[in-house]
Amino acid sequence: MKTETARKLFANRHDMHGPGFHEAMNEIMIVFSGNQKVINLIEDLFKTIETPRQARPDKAADEALIKLMKAICKDIGIEYKTLPDSYYLNFFSMPRQ
């Protein structure tokens, strides 16, 4: 279940306002409830997002999300040591024709 929830988060990380991202975040709170670091990082992400953009550093939400994704990867046993942080936020999107 943790792996499926992590997959949802990574698949929807490009749209923090979308329903897929919200679903993943709601699942994380339950599925990873035994991992206090993950729970703390969720709280940090919520606090960051709730802070008005002009009152926080430009990349604060991205950095909080990356920390959360890394903690989730560690919990489920996925190695990420050689993956640059920027890759956590990159995604592929083809223009519609």
Side-chain angles (χ1 to χ4, degrees):
M1 203 169 179
K2 286 182 175 183
T3 301
E4 179 61 22
T5 300
R7 187 198 63 76
K8 284 181 188 177
L9 175 66
F10 276 80
N12 292 287
R13 70 191 185 278
H14 64 282
D15 185 10
M16 293 176 85
H17 299 289
F21 184 82
H22 296 167
E23 181 180 338
M25 290 300 293
N26 289 326
E27 282 186 27
I28 289 167
M29 289 187 284
I30 301 302
V31 175
F32 290 89
S33 63
N35 184 325
Q36 192 58 48
K37 181 172 181 146
V38 169
I39 298 304
N40 291 343
L41 290 169
I42 289 171
E43 291 172 1
D44 290 346
L45 178 59
F46 283 148
K47 286 178 190 173
T48 301
I49 291 170
E50 289 174 349
T51 303
R53 285 182 185 233
Q54 62 273 20
R56 67 179 191 227
D58 287 342
K59 301 283 184 178
D62 290 346
E63 291 170 6
L65 180 57
I66 289 169
K67 287 178 185 177
L68 174 61
M69 290 190 295
K70 284 183 172 184
I72 288 171
C73 285
K74 185 175 182 177
D75 186 275
I76 61 176
I78 294 176
E79 291 287 329
Y80 59 84
K81 292 179 182 178
T82 61
L83 188 63
D85 284 356
S86 63
Y87 279 40
Y88 283 88
L89 301 178
N90 289 342
F91 61 91
F92 293 95
S93 178
M94 298 296 291
R96 293 183 180 183
Q97 295 184 9

